Amino acid sequence: MLPDTSDGVSEHDRQGAPKPPSPMMLLVAFGGLSAALAAGYGVLFTIAADYRDEYGISENWIGIIIGIGFIAGFLSQITIAPFADRGHAKKLVLGGVFVNVLGLVLMAFGTSLVPILVGRFISGIGIGAAAPAIKRIVVLADPANLGQNMGRLLAADVFGFAMGPAISAVLVGPFGIPSPFLVVAAVTLMLLPMVARVDVVEATEPPARRFAIDLLASRPFAGAVTLGAVTFIMIGSFDALWDVVHKDLGTTDWIANLGITLFGLPLIFLGPIGGRLAQTWGPFKLGSIGLFFAAGLMIIYGFLPAGGLIFAVAMVHAISDGLTISSAGVAVSMVVPADRQAGAHGVIGAAQAISAGVMASVTGAIYGSFGQAAAYTVAGVVMIVLTMVGVWLARSAWNLNDASNRA
């Protein structure tokens, strides 16, 4: 049960409100849509070399193309996503998806820097608007099982992001650069009729605040956002170092190429279990334990002399993350009133996007100058320090769990 059961809907409106969507409908419609949006982000990563070879776009600009999508998502989650709390959740989902598809089409048919860059920016805006609205709809449709449902959305995101590069790898060779963008766009559009049929209870009494930054005045919420940012500091560092470290260590190709995809598999299967555990045992407890453990593993990566050893530790890391990584999102849903859910998830999503982007750049620079041990150790130490900050901020809600929230 959310800490404030007011979702902007009067009791009179509730009596005639539509029946909430079934768990299966939530999973298929909104989980599928989350996966499709994430795949739109992921398809770009394996065709960077094709952009360079086919269109003459330099590596520096390719980096900017990738990064501008995250910047656009950051801006959209801060400025547009809160409108989902003001009676427009379903409109933001549908509109965000259409905007994302437009961006994908631009990236598909663009053959020079400007249309591809614009397409990536537009796609980021659409995803940043739709994703928090999806979380609001899913959380409020079934608040008793918010942990499990948040875990399912996480699993869908991970699955989609992992499938993006795979789709590109399969399609670009025989069908050309536009094909993965068009396939993802088509799949996304195919899900829209199912999403459009879902009855959503919209807020009729919008929150007083237009944006959600004011929520950071709540220390438990600020703590949850900090822990969520630490998770993406880990992800940004891990992704930035994986390929270059394995290349420099002479790792066999299958480990280097499939490692991140295999890393994502436990998250897909364990995400719902971890989300349910976070809700019942406590998101701050579970999340902080997982991040401290992950930080230790990050430091260990720095001193491993072979790619096979890094891969083995990464599989342990993946299981731990699968059981704990959804905790920050669950914590946000549990400490924020029902009528601020979309804005709150927009804030944590923006913090995660900027954290991943900044830390990926910093970690890559440290690796280039000082090597493997320094890069992973700095990432691990930053994770430990910020996790401690998050725990301190959330200390008043340390024992929060589903039982205490119902009391």
Side-chain angles (χ1 to χ4, degrees):
M1 185 173 180
L2 298 167
D4 180 352
T5 56
S6 170
D7 58 2
V9 182
S10 67
E11 193 63 32
H12 176 269
D13 290 336
R14 284 182 186 278
Q15 294 174 0
K19 183 179 179 181
S22 68
M24 182 56 66
M25 178 61 76
L26 285 174
L27 176 63
V28 174
F30 293 102
L33 194 58
S34 293
L37 293 174
Y41 262 142
V43 293
L44 186 59
F45 286 89
T46 50
I47 62 172
D50 297 285
Y51 275 167
R52 181 191 61 193
D53 297 340
E54 296 292 329
Y55 302 152
I57 299 174
S58 70
E59 288 88 347
N60 289 339
W61 278 110
I62 290 172
I64 293 173
I65 290 170
I66 292 174
I68 201 170
F70 293 108
I71 293 172
F74 167 81
L75 295 173
S76 183
Q77 289 182 92
I78 290 292
T79 60
I80 300 175
F83 284 98
D85 291 324
R86 308 177 73 85
H88 307 294
K90 192 170 182 179
K91 292 177 184 176
L92 277 186
V93 172
L94 299 175
V97 167
F98 277 117
V99 170
N100 172 58
V101 167
L102 176 60
L104 291 173
V105 171
L106 278 173
M107 285 189 283
F109 292 109
T111 58
S112 60
L113 174 63
V114 172
I116 294 172
L117 193 66
V118 171
R120 180 70 169 176
F121 184 84
I122 290 174
S123 178
I125 291 290
I127 294 172
I134 289 173
K135 290 183 174 68
R136 173 189 162 86
I137 292 170
V138 170
V139 167
L140 297 186
D142 187 15
N145 296 300
L146 71 90
Q148 177 174 280
N149 290 332
M150 289 294 292
R152 286 172 172 168
L153 287 181
L154 170 69
D157 285 341
V158 172
F159 175 76
F161 193 82
M163 285 301 297
I167 292 170
S168 295
V170 170
L171 295 179
V172 168
F175 301 109
I177 292 175
S179 57
F181 295 108
L182 296 177
V183 167
V184 172
V187 171
T188 305
L189 290 175
M190 287 172 60
L191 290 168
L192 279 188
M194 185 180 300
V195 172
R197 287 197 299 268
V198 174
D199 291 320
V200 175
V201 178
E202 299 280 11
T204 57
E205 298 176 10
R209 300 276 187 170
R210 180 176 177 181
F211 301 121
I213 298 297
D214 65 292
L215 290 171
L216 290 170
S218 164
R219 287 188 173 184
F221 175 72
V225 171
T226 301
L227 295 180
V230 174
T231 299
F232 275 69
I233 284 173
M234 173 185 68
I235 291 171
S237 301
F238 188 91
D239 288 357
L241 294 174
W242 182 267
D243 281 341
V244 293
V245 168
H246 280 293
K247 182 177 181 180
D248 291 346
L249 291 176
T251 307
T252 55
D253 288 342
W254 76 269
I255 290 178
N257 293 338
L258 296 179
I260 290 182
T261 299
L262 293 175
F263 187 94
L265 289 179
L267 277 71
I268 294 170
F269 294 108
L270 296 177
I273 298 173
R276 187 166 58 249
L277 181 61
Q279 183 182 1
T280 56
W281 189 60
F284 291 109
K285 292 179 182 178
L286 185 66
S288 59
I289 289 171
L291 288 173
F292 281 129
F293 183 68
L297 295 181
M298 290 292 283
I299 294 172
I300 290 173
Y301 290 139
F303 297 93
L304 296 177
L309 292 174
I310 292 177
F311 177 82
V313 173
M315 293 303 100
V316 176
H317 188 172
I319 293 172
S320 172
D321 278 2
L323 290 171
T324 63
I325 201 171
S326 61
S327 297
V330 174
V332 165
S333 294
M334 293 180 74
V335 302
V336 171
D339 64 340
R340 307 295 303 277
Q341 286 290 315
H345 283 287
V347 171
I348 189 174
Q352 290 171 333
I354 201 70
S355 297
V358 170
M359 200 61 194
S361 301
V362 170
T363 308
I366 293 172
Y367 179 80
S369 299
F370 302 103
Q372 176 182 341
Y376 279 115
T377 299
V378 168
V381 170
V382 170
M383 289 175 63
I384 291 171
V385 171
L386 290 181
T387 299
M388 292 173 65
V389 171
V391 169
W392 179 80
L393 287 169
R395 64 193 184 279
S396 64
W398 177 251
N399 292 317
L400 176 71
N401 56 37
D402 194 43
S404 67
N405 211 29
R406 291 177 184 274

